[in-house]
Amino acid sequence: MAAGFSSLPIILAVCALTLLVGVNYMVVCRYFPDGGGVYSAARAQGRTLAVVGALLLIADMTVTAALSGWAALSYLGVPKEYIMVSTIGVVILVGLLNYYGPKHSGSVAVLLAVPTVIVVVLIIAFSIPYLTTIHLRPLTDSWGHTWVAFSGVILALSGVEAVANLTGIMKPDKDSTIGHVKVGKTSFKSILPVAIEVSIGTALLGWAMLSLPESLSPVMHEHKEDMLKFLGEYYATANFGLMAGKYFGLVVGWVFALLLLSAVNTAVAAMIGLLFTTARDREMPGNFTTLNKHGVPWAPLAISVGLPVVVLLISKNFEALAGLYAIGVVGAICVNLGSCTFNFKLGIKWYERLLMGGTFFILVAVELTLAKTKPDALFFVLCVLVIGLMLRAYSQKVSGIETLTVSRDVARIVNPDMIAVLKQSTAETQKIMVCVRGITPVLRYAFDEADLRNACLYVLYVHEIAVLYQGGQPLGKTNWKNEPVASAILSTALQIGQERGISVIPLYATSTNAATIIVDTAATIGADFLILGASHRDALSNLLRGNVLTEVASSLPESIQLVICG
């Protein structure tokens, strides 16, 4: 659409930039195992810069959800006059599913990736006999016009930022130790193959598109929103006949529609996680951390659904949505790479820093070009930034935080690390750990067992948070006295233990996966017995979120006896 049959050099340039950004993010993830996205990287340079980066990413995710939903329905053949309303319905439905948390979002995405890869490979294979350079045209516009066209079609960079944000929930490398988690190898395997696949696949599909006869240009413009379906149908027809092409086109449409619907879900879930993280770090209003019974924050869920709906209501067509997209993600990546380039405390090798700096300046030029040539996109991003920074200022005023500029030496004095030290009894012969959600018969049973066995009782309260965690303040380091429910339960347990002469050690953790933290804590303290209550979740909750009891039982070391009380 931007350059017609002279667009192959631009497509190749976008592929090269995508691969270059992917290489840089593999370096970033190595140094930010809790979250290699813009929020964590920029936070090392300053809290305000981190919030700006997060708001740019929220703008990107908002448009991603709207754009992906619109494209999905286009692949399903929904009439254009109904697409906007239908997309709004899709976003609301995704929000209802995220009410239960993002437990199985990754599994669905992986499941959909398999048929997607097959379909892409088949489209490329069907097009190979027909690939030609006859229809290719040289770039006739000036370098300025070519650069504007290149800046306007950068729509493939959001994925690498999304992967980097999730280093905090990636499987640690084998050489990781407690307190020194490494995810360099895992993030390498997550980013590099996808970056290569996207770059090569996009180049080949772009060539296949430009190998179509120029006489089909009007039809290609009509199918700009579902071009892959059109390519699949055209080349399958050329190879196997009209009926085969028709059915293959339907398969391609459904596969990419489902993948794009998964992208809507991913964007909404990631936005919830980012808003929750900023609120947890006291950068957004505190009520953003209020959770529903499934561990999902109410306000971020509503915002993550409401923003894409608003964007859809004010956007006239697919091009308008696409125009809003790039400025947010390019800005977020600029902040990320710039923060790392000029953070000399990171042990980045000189050639990695040089490559990262070069990429940063290229993307800065792209961002400035987008701001100049796409006033609607600039207005949209400025609205997100202004509203977000106003919310931040309001939340800090309400919470009593006041900004004061002091020297670095003074800041170190007034902001020491506060470490809570638990005094543990060394006389016990056994250790019992009980995981509780309230003052229940399970806790009474645990006290009876600790009394009979003359054991030390560890009372664990897990504050399960069903969001895709983005970094910021590490999970598990929050003081339990600041959480009302945990404070009530653990304080009561300490009081009962004192009255009954039982050594009670309160334990508190926040986690995106309760089962993992329970198993890790029991193994760390060397518990002899782990006591859990039977699950009371309904069937739908177990389906969407999994059963904690089953996960614990399958992962617990054999040396720890599991007692299920119910």
Side-chain angles (χ1 to χ4, degrees):
M1 288 293 291
F5 280 86
S6 61
S7 60
L8 186 61
I10 296 175
I11 293 174
L12 296 177
V14 171
C15 292
L17 182 63
T18 302
L19 187 59
L20 181 62
V21 170
V23 170
N24 279 282
Y25 265 74
M26 287 186 287
V27 178
V28 174
C29 292
R30 202 163 67 223
Y31 294 98
F32 293 96
D34 288 331
V38 59
Y39 184 68
S40 297
R43 195 173 175 82
Q45 296 285 54
R47 295 172 68 98
T48 303
L49 184 64
V51 173
V52 169
L55 292 172
L56 287 169
L57 198 56
I58 287 171
D60 161 54
M61 292 171 183
T62 298
V63 183
T64 297
L67 193 67
S68 299
W70 190 298
L73 295 179
S74 297
Y75 273 99
L76 291 177
V78 175
K80 292 185 178 181
E81 58 267 26
Y82 301 119
I83 281 188
M84 185 188 75
V85 176
S86 301
T87 307
I88 291 174
V90 165
V91 173
I92 293 174
L93 178 61
V94 168
L96 292 175
L97 291 175
N98 273 274
Y99 175 84
Y100 289 94
K103 181 75 175 181
H104 296 298
S105 298
S107 301
V108 173
V110 171
L111 185 65
L112 292 173
V114 176
T116 304
V117 171
I118 294 173
V119 165
V120 169
V121 170
L122 287 176
I123 294 174
I124 294 173
F126 293 163
S127 68
I128 286 176
Y130 301 93
L131 293 179
T132 179
T133 58
I134 294 176
H135 307 300
L136 299 182
R137 298 288 178 265
L139 290 167
T140 56
D141 292 331
S142 64
W143 281 105
H145 284 92
T146 302
W147 174 260
V148 169
F150 166 74
S151 301
V153 298
I154 297 177
L155 300 176
L157 300 179
S158 183
V160 69
E161 173 69 26
V163 172
N165 272 302
L166 301 180
T167 53
I169 59 173
M170 285 182 179
K171 182 179 180 181
D173 297 341
K174 292 183 179 179
D175 57 344
S176 296
T177 58
I178 296 177
H180 297 282
V181 179
K182 298 179 182 179
V183 294
K185 295 177 182 177
T186 306
S187 60
F188 178 89
K189 291 186 291 185
S190 300
I191 293 175
L192 184 62
V194 178
I196 293 174
E197 177 193 359
V198 168
S199 300
I200 295 176
T202 302
L204 291 174
L205 290 168
W207 188 10
M209 178 181 66
L210 297 173
S211 296
L212 298 175
E214 288 189 73
S215 59
L216 290 177
S217 290
V219 183
M220 293 169 66
H221 279 262
E222 292 178 6
H223 288 277
K224 59 185 178 294
E225 298 165 22
D226 59 348
M227 179 57 70
L228 289 171
K229 179 182 178 181
F230 179 71
L231 288 178
E233 187 171 340
Y234 179 87
Y235 284 114
T237 300
N239 282 277
F240 306 107
L242 186 60
M243 289 301 296
K246 180 180 179 180
Y247 286 118
F248 185 66
L250 289 173
V251 171
V252 173
W254 274 98
V255 168
F256 278 100
L258 291 173
L259 187 73
L260 287 161
L261 291 175
S262 173
V264 177
N265 180 70
T266 301
V268 170
M271 211 185 320
I272 292 171
L274 187 55
L275 287 168
F276 173 82
T277 302
T278 53
R280 194 170 181 271
D281 290 344
R282 308 180 83 178
E283 304 290 358
M284 288 292 159
N287 56 10
F288 278 25
T289 60
T290 303
L291 308 178
N292 66 15
K293 63 180 181 180
H294 300 290
V296 179
W298 283 103
L301 175 61
I303 293 171
S304 300
V305 173
L307 282 178
V309 170
V310 171
V311 168
L312 285 165
L313 288 173
I314 63 176
S315 298
K316 298 178 181 178
N317 49 42
F318 189 79
E319 289 82 6
L321 282 173
L324 297 178
Y325 176 82
I327 193 168
V329 65
V330 172
I333 295 175
C334 281
V335 173
N336 195 336
L337 297 185
S339 299
C340 294
T341 300
F342 299 105
N343 185 350
F344 296 101
K345 294 180 180 180
L346 300 178
I348 301 176
K349 298 179 177 61
W350 68 269
Y351 55 87
E352 293 176 336
R353 195 180 297 274
L354 186 64
L355 181 66
M356 191 176 294
T359 309
F360 164 71
F361 285 112
I362 292 172
L363 292 174
V364 167
V366 171
E367 183 76 352
L368 293 175
T369 303
L370 292 170
K372 172 68 176 177
T373 59
K374 296 185 181 294
D376 290 344
L378 179 61
F379 176 75
F380 169 67
V381 166
L382 287 177
C383 286
V384 174
L385 287 174
V386 169
I387 294 173
L389 292 174
M390 287 173 62
L391 277 174
R392 178 181 187 248
Y394 171 77
S395 65
Q396 292 188 342
K397 180 180 179 180
V398 170
S399 60
I401 297 176
E402 185 174 346
T403 302
L404 180 66
T405 303
V406 296
S407 67
R408 185 177 290 107
D409 293 334
V410 174
R412 288 171 181 163
I413 295 172
V414 300
N415 187 30
D417 292 332
M418 301 301 293
I419 303 175
V421 180
L422 297 175
K423 297 181 180 180
Q424 301 184 11
S425 173
T426 57
E428 74 275 8
T429 57
Q430 289 185 321
K431 297 176 181 178
I432 297 175
M433 191 179 96
V434 58
C435 186
V436 295
R437 287 182 174 271
I439 308 300
T440 63
V442 178
L443 184 60
R444 182 184 65 186
Y445 175 79
F447 271 111
D448 292 341
E449 285 295 307
D451 195 8
L452 289 170
R453 297 174 182 274
N454 190 29
C456 179
L457 180 62
Y458 291 77
V459 182
L460 172 65
Y461 180 88
V462 179
H463 190 190
E464 190 174 11
I465 301 171
V467 297
L468 298 177
Y469 190 61
Q470 307 281 340
Q473 183 182 3
L475 290 174
K477 294 191 176 181
T478 306
N479 192 329
W480 59 269
K481 295 180 181 179
N482 296 331
E483 209 283 308
V485 177
S487 178
I489 295 171
L490 296 179
S491 297
T492 302
L494 285 170
Q495 182 179 354
I496 295 173
Q498 186 176 9
E499 293 174 356
R500 298 184 59 170
I502 299 172
S503 178
V504 175
I505 308 297
L507 301 174
Y508 175 76
T510 54
S511 174
T512 56
N513 190 321
T516 300
I517 203 71
I518 292 170
V519 172
D520 287 349
T521 305
T524 300
I525 67 174
D528 297 291
F529 294 90
L530 171 62
I531 301 176
L532 297 176
S535 175
H536 294 289
R537 284 179 176 171
D538 57 39
L540 183 59
S541 295
N542 285 331
L543 175 65
L544 293 176
R545 304 189 61 214
N547 189 302
V548 173
L549 191 60
T550 304
E551 293 182 44
V552 170
S554 63
S555 306
L556 199 64
E558 293 184 0
S559 59
I560 301 176
Q561 301 297 312
L562 176 62
V563 180
I564 302 170
C565 180

Short mmCIF file of all heavy atoms in Angstrom, two decimals, residues 386-412:
data_model
loop_
_atom_site.label_atom_id
_atom_site.label_comp_id
_atom_site.label_asym_id
_atom_site.label_seq_id
_atom_site.Cartn_x
_atom_site.Cartn_y
_atom_site.Cartn_z
N VAL A 386 -0.08 11.97 28.70
CA VAL A 386 -0.58 13.02 29.60
C VAL A 386 -1.50 12.43 30.67
O VAL A 386 -1.34 12.71 31.87
CB VAL A 386 -1.31 14.12 28.79
CG1 VAL A 386 -2.05 15.06 29.73
CG2 VAL A 386 -0.32 14.90 27.95
N ILE A 387 -2.44 11.61 30.25
CA ILE A 387 -3.37 11.00 31.22
C ILE A 387 -2.62 10.10 32.19
O ILE A 387 -2.86 10.11 33.40
CB ILE A 387 -4.48 10.22 30.48
CG1 ILE A 387 -5.35 11.18 29.68
CG2 ILE A 387 -5.34 9.44 31.47
CD1 ILE A 387 -6.37 10.50 28.78
N GLY A 388 -1.69 9.31 31.66
CA GLY A 388 -0.91 8.41 32.52
C GLY A 388 -0.07 9.16 33.53
O GLY A 388 -0.03 8.78 34.72
N LEU A 389 0.60 10.21 33.11
CA LEU A 389 1.43 10.98 34.04
C LEU A 389 0.58 11.74 35.06
O LEU A 389 0.99 11.93 36.20
CB LEU A 389 2.32 11.95 33.26
CG LEU A 389 3.43 11.27 32.41
CD1 LEU A 389 4.16 12.29 31.56
CD2 LEU A 389 4.41 10.52 33.30
N MET A 390 -0.62 12.16 34.65
CA MET A 390 -1.53 12.80 35.62
C MET A 390 -1.98 11.79 36.68
O MET A 390 -2.03 12.12 37.88
CB MET A 390 -2.75 13.36 34.88
CG MET A 390 -2.45 14.61 34.06
SD MET A 390 -3.86 15.14 33.05
CE MET A 390 -5.08 15.49 34.31
N LEU A 391 -2.29 10.56 36.25
CA LEU A 391 -2.65 9.51 37.22
C LEU A 391 -1.49 9.23 38.17
O LEU A 391 -1.69 9.03 39.37
CB LEU A 391 -3.04 8.23 36.47
CG LEU A 391 -4.46 8.14 35.95
CD1 LEU A 391 -4.63 6.89 35.10
CD2 LEU A 391 -5.47 8.14 37.10
N ARG A 392 -0.28 9.23 37.62
CA ARG A 392 0.90 8.98 38.46
C ARG A 392 1.06 10.08 39.51
O ARG A 392 1.29 9.80 40.70
CB ARG A 392 2.14 8.90 37.59
CG ARG A 392 3.44 8.69 38.37
CD ARG A 392 4.64 8.65 37.45
NE ARG A 392 5.85 8.30 38.18
CZ ARG A 392 6.87 9.13 38.38
NH1 ARG A 392 6.83 10.37 37.90
NH2 ARG A 392 7.94 8.73 39.04
N ALA A 393 0.93 11.34 39.07
CA ALA A 393 1.07 12.45 40.02
C ALA A 393 -0.01 12.39 41.10
O ALA A 393 0.26 12.61 42.28
CB ALA A 393 1.00 13.78 39.26
N TYR A 394 -1.24 12.05 40.69
CA TYR A 394 -2.34 11.97 41.65
C TYR A 394 -2.09 10.84 42.66
O TYR A 394 -2.29 11.03 43.87
CB TYR A 394 -3.65 11.73 40.91
CG TYR A 394 -4.81 11.40 41.82
CD1 TYR A 394 -5.46 12.39 42.55
CD2 TYR A 394 -5.26 10.08 41.95
CE1 TYR A 394 -6.51 12.09 43.39
CE2 TYR A 394 -6.31 9.77 42.78
CZ TYR A 394 -6.94 10.78 43.50
OH TYR A 394 -7.97 10.46 44.34
N SER A 395 -1.67 9.67 42.17
CA SER A 395 -1.45 8.53 43.06
C SER A 395 -0.34 8.81 44.06
O SER A 395 -0.43 8.43 45.24
CB SER A 395 -1.14 7.28 42.25
OG SER A 395 0.09 7.42 41.56
N GLN A 396 0.72 9.51 43.62
CA GLN A 396 1.81 9.81 44.54
C GLN A 396 1.39 10.86 45.57
O GLN A 396 1.82 10.80 46.73
CB GLN A 396 3.03 10.29 43.74
CG GLN A 396 3.67 9.18 42.90
CD GLN A 396 4.97 9.59 42.28
OE1 GLN A 396 5.28 10.77 42.17
NE2 GLN A 396 5.76 8.62 41.87
N LYS A 397 0.54 11.79 45.15
CA LYS A 397 0.06 12.79 46.11
C LYS A 397 -0.83 12.15 47.17
O LYS A 397 -0.70 12.43 48.36
CB LYS A 397 -0.72 13.88 45.36
CG LYS A 397 -1.27 14.97 46.27
CD LYS A 397 -2.02 16.03 45.48
CE LYS A 397 -2.57 17.11 46.41
NZ LYS A 397 -3.32 18.15 45.66
N VAL A 398 -1.72 11.26 46.74
CA VAL A 398 -2.62 10.59 47.68
C VAL A 398 -1.85 9.71 48.65
O VAL A 398 -2.17 9.63 49.84
CB VAL A 398 -3.66 9.75 46.90
CG1 VAL A 398 -4.45 8.84 47.83
CG2 VAL A 398 -4.61 10.66 46.14
N SER A 399 -0.81 9.03 48.16
CA SER A 399 -0.05 8.11 49.01
C SER A 399 0.98 8.84 49.87
O SER A 399 1.71 8.19 50.64
CB SER A 399 0.65 7.06 48.15
OG SER A 399 1.53 7.66 47.22
N GLY A 400 1.08 10.15 49.72
CA GLY A 400 1.99 10.91 50.56
C GLY A 400 3.41 10.96 50.06
O GLY A 400 4.33 11.35 50.80
N ILE A 401 3.65 10.58 48.80
CA ILE A 401 4.99 10.62 48.24
C ILE A 401 5.25 12.01 47.68
O ILE A 401 4.45 12.57 46.94
CB ILE A 401 5.16 9.57 47.11
CG1 ILE A 401 4.99 8.17 47.70
CG2 ILE A 401 6.51 9.71 46.43
CD1 ILE A 401 5.05 7.08 46.65
N GLU A 402 6.39 12.59 48.04
CA GLU A 402 6.75 13.91 47.55
C GLU A 402 8.11 13.82 46.88
O GLU A 402 9.06 13.24 47.43
CB GLU A 402 6.79 14.92 48.70
CG GLU A 402 7.05 16.34 48.23
CD GLU A 402 6.93 17.35 49.37
OE1 GLU A 402 6.40 16.97 50.43
OE2 GLU A 402 7.35 18.49 49.19
N THR A 403 8.21 14.39 45.68
CA THR A 403 9.46 14.36 44.93
C THR A 403 10.39 15.43 45.47
O THR A 403 10.02 16.60 45.60
CB THR A 403 9.21 14.59 43.43
OG1 THR A 403 8.31 13.59 42.97
CG2 THR A 403 10.49 14.52 42.65
N LEU A 404 11.63 15.03 45.78
CA LEU A 404 12.62 15.96 46.31
C LEU A 404 13.96 15.63 45.67
O LEU A 404 14.38 14.47 45.66
CB LEU A 404 12.71 15.83 47.84
CG LEU A 404 13.73 16.75 48.54
CD1 LEU A 404 13.29 18.20 48.39
CD2 LEU A 404 13.85 16.37 50.02
N THR A 405 14.62 16.62 45.14
CA THR A 405 15.91 16.41 44.50
C THR A 405 17.02 16.54 45.53
O THR A 405 17.17 17.59 46.17
CB THR A 405 16.13 17.43 43.37
OG1 THR A 405 15.06 17.33 42.43
CG2 THR A 405 17.45 17.17 42.66
N VAL A 406 17.77 15.46 45.72
CA VAL A 406 18.90 15.46 46.65
C VAL A 406 20.10 14.83 45.95
O VAL A 406 19.98 14.24 44.88
CB VAL A 406 18.56 14.66 47.94
CG1 VAL A 406 17.44 15.31 48.71
CG2 VAL A 406 18.20 13.22 47.60
N SER A 407 21.25 14.95 46.57
CA SER A 407 22.44 14.35 45.99
C SER A 407 22.38 12.83 46.13
O SER A 407 21.63 12.29 46.95
CB SER A 407 23.70 14.88 46.68
OG SER A 407 23.73 14.44 48.03
N ARG A 408 23.19 12.14 45.34
CA ARG A 408 23.19 10.68 45.37
C ARG A 408 23.61 10.15 46.74
O ARG A 408 23.09 9.15 47.23
CB ARG A 408 24.11 10.14 44.27
CG ARG A 408 24.10 8.63 44.14
CD ARG A 408 24.97 8.14 42.99
NE ARG A 408 24.39 8.47 41.70
CZ ARG A 408 24.86 9.40 40.88
NH1 ARG A 408 25.92 10.12 41.22
NH2 ARG A 408 24.28 9.63 39.71
N ASP A 409 24.57 10.84 47.39
CA ASP A 409 25.04 10.39 48.70
C ASP A 409 23.93 10.48 49.75
O ASP A 409 23.76 9.58 50.58
CB ASP A 409 26.24 11.23 49.14
CG ASP A 409 27.46 10.98 48.26
OD1 ASP A 409 27.53 9.88 47.68
OD2 ASP A 409 28.31 11.88 48.16
N VAL A 410 23.14 11.57 49.71
CA VAL A 410 22.04 11.72 50.65
C VAL A 410 20.97 10.67 50.39
O VAL A 410 20.39 10.09 51.31
CB VAL A 410 21.45 13.14 50.56
CG1 VAL A 410 20.20 13.27 51.42
CG2 VAL A 410 22.48 14.17 50.98
N ALA A 411 20.70 10.39 49.12
CA ALA A 411 19.69 9.39 48.77
C ALA A 411 20.05 8.03 49.33
O ALA A 411 19.18 7.28 49.78
CB ALA A 411 19.53 9.32 47.25
N ARG A 412 21.33 7.69 49.31
CA ARG A 412 21.75 6.39 49.86
C ARG A 412 21.52 6.31 51.36
O ARG A 412 21.23 5.25 51.90
CB ARG A 412 23.23 6.16 49.56
CG ARG A 412 23.51 5.87 48.08
CD ARG A 412 25.00 5.88 47.80
NE ARG A 412 25.28 5.64 46.39
CZ ARG A 412 26.44 5.90 45.81
NH1 ARG A 412 27.44 6.41 46.52
NH2 ARG A 412 26.62 5.65 44.53
#
